[in-house]
Amino acid sequence: MKTAFRKSFLLATLCGGLLMGQAQTVSADYTPTAENLQARREFADSKFGIFLHWGIYSLFAQGEWYMTNANLSKDEYAKAADAFYPHRFDAKAWVSAIKAAGAKYICFTTRHHDGFSMWNTQYSDYNIMNTPYGRDILQQLADECHLQGIRLHLYYSHIDWTRDDYPMGRTGRGTGKDPRLANWDSYYDFMNNQLRELLTNYGEVGAIWFDGHWDRDQDSIPFDWQLGPQYELIHQLQPACLVGNNHHLSPFPGEDIQIFERDVPGENKAGLSGQSVADLPLETCQTMNGMWGYKVADQNYKSTPELIHLLVRTAAKGANLLLNIGPQPNGELPAAALQRLQEIGAWTRANGKAIYGTRAGGIAQGDTIVSTRRGETLYLHVLDPSLTQLQVNIPARVREVRSFPDGRPLKYMFRRNCLTLDLDIPEDCIDYIIEVRCGGLD
Ligand code: GLC
């Protein structure tokens, strides 16, 4: 590693970073390789991924934060590992259902904040091999993803509510960790050893998706996550592997994508996405119901039209949607999630061309008309079927206007850059798409 170039400095430009204790060792000299840049483009083209939050927390059926929310003793909680036997887990069924939905990648929680590893790691006994199930979940999933040609991204928690060596942050305070045993060097080595395993033993990894940086945002003494060398390690092991970090801040050097939690880029309805939008491939993660990990009480699933609108609105911002499912403790994806995957699949098969490989269209009227773009072709997505007329400004010449995907020519008026056309949209149309072929679009 080029330690000579490593710089430790305060990222004070990150709004309030100094006050919030965001000292960082970052790699100031990161230049992405050609294969990394190619991977970024492919990622930006792919538009749709499925997030899977699965671990022993699923057994409690209270979401993945149950341990800290209920201040459970880490030792009592760990007994769940001895009951983890997901006898219906079928990697082929998962990957097939996800692929049929039109998703191009899967992001899997290898180790969440509770500290349990879902793969055969030699760096912690608290792992899937030491459950009655005793088989490497990640291996099965990775093999199936590679077989079916769907990319595998790995979620990896920076924080740990179980290990004593992870210095106590603002969460996981009631789990019985011994603060006297905090040892950042030991924990840091542990993480990097695990990352080396993940990037060596499971074939091509599309991205490492970090989470938990915000655990130190109330530290009085700035905490240095030493992200620079960690990111360097990842890029050394797999140069095309994209690094993303769900820190809710502007990207740090060494990151290849920017993540937004529960909001499309540029919106901040959930309160976690106030950061500015960077010139990197973007991803918005969102839940299908309300929780990431399986929660028995949460049957509040978003409807298929809502999810498709979310996918379209996200693509219209130039971002990918990483849509979450919390698999059940028995290893199955919930029926409500499977049904939505199927319905989304029917939609993406018919309309995918207006999403995949596109970039932000730049033309929008609130949430009812948004747009994607490929070269000189604009796709206007009308998300409200009750609209009877469309009137948008197009900063180019308009050559052809057709309904999509059937290609039927539409009558329109185009005067002084204003495109006007009458609409007669069937009531049950989720997204009425108009294809506009332009000339001279910027
Ligand atoms: C938040 C939650 C975490 C979840 C993640 C997914 O950071 O703390 O549980 O995995 O969001 O975006």
Side-chain angles (χ1 to χ4, degrees), residues 51 53 57 64-65 109 112-113 155 159 161 209-212 214 246 248 259-262 272 285-287 291-293 322 324:
F51 214 167
H53 274 71
Y57 46 81
E64 78 290 354
W65 271 60
T109 48
H112 207 272
H113 310 330
Y155 170 106
I159 65 183
W161 295 329
W209 206 101
F210 286 114
D211 189 26
W214 34 257
N246 185 33
H248 310 149
I259 296 169
F260 293 83
E261 184 173 337
R262 293 187 188 269
L272 301 168
C285 59
Q286 182 56 283
T287 50
M291 210 24 156
W292 304 98
L322 180 61
N324 184 74

Side-chain angles (χ1 to χ4, degrees), residues 365-441:
Q365 275 171 18
D367 279 353
T368 49
I369 299 172
V370 298
S371 60
T372 50
R373 166 185 177 180
R374 184 186 301 100
E376 291 275 17
T377 301
L378 276 172
Y379 297 97
L380 304 176
H381 301 259
V382 183
L383 303 178
D384 178 357
S386 71
L387 286 187
T388 53
Q389 199 186 52
L390 172 131
Q391 207 166 57
V392 290
N393 206 58
I394 308 239
R397 287 186 307 282
V398 165
R399 301 204 146 129
E400 248 180 71
V401 180
R402 294 175 181 272
S403 76
F404 181 89
D406 62 2
R408 193 168 40 87
L410 295 176
K411 279 202 193 125
Y412 65 95
M413 258 188 10
F414 186 62
R415 225 174 269 155
R416 292 196 188 136
N417 289 106
C418 182
L419 175 71
T420 309
L421 53 106
D422 291 333
L423 301 169
D424 183 13
I425 309 176
E427 223 175 280
D428 59 351
C429 180
I430 296 174
D431 174 14
Y432 183 72
I433 305 173
I434 301 162
E435 184 177 332
V436 184
R437 300 251 163 117
C438 303
L441 207 57

Side-chain angles (χ1 to χ4, degrees), residues 25-26 50 84 95 106 110 123 130 231 250 335 372 399 406 428:
T25 301
V26 295
I50 291 290
F84 195 60
V95 175
I106 289 175
T110 56
Y123 296 103
N130 297 319
Y231 292 174
S250 298
T372 50
R399 301 204 146 129
D406 62 2
D428 59 351

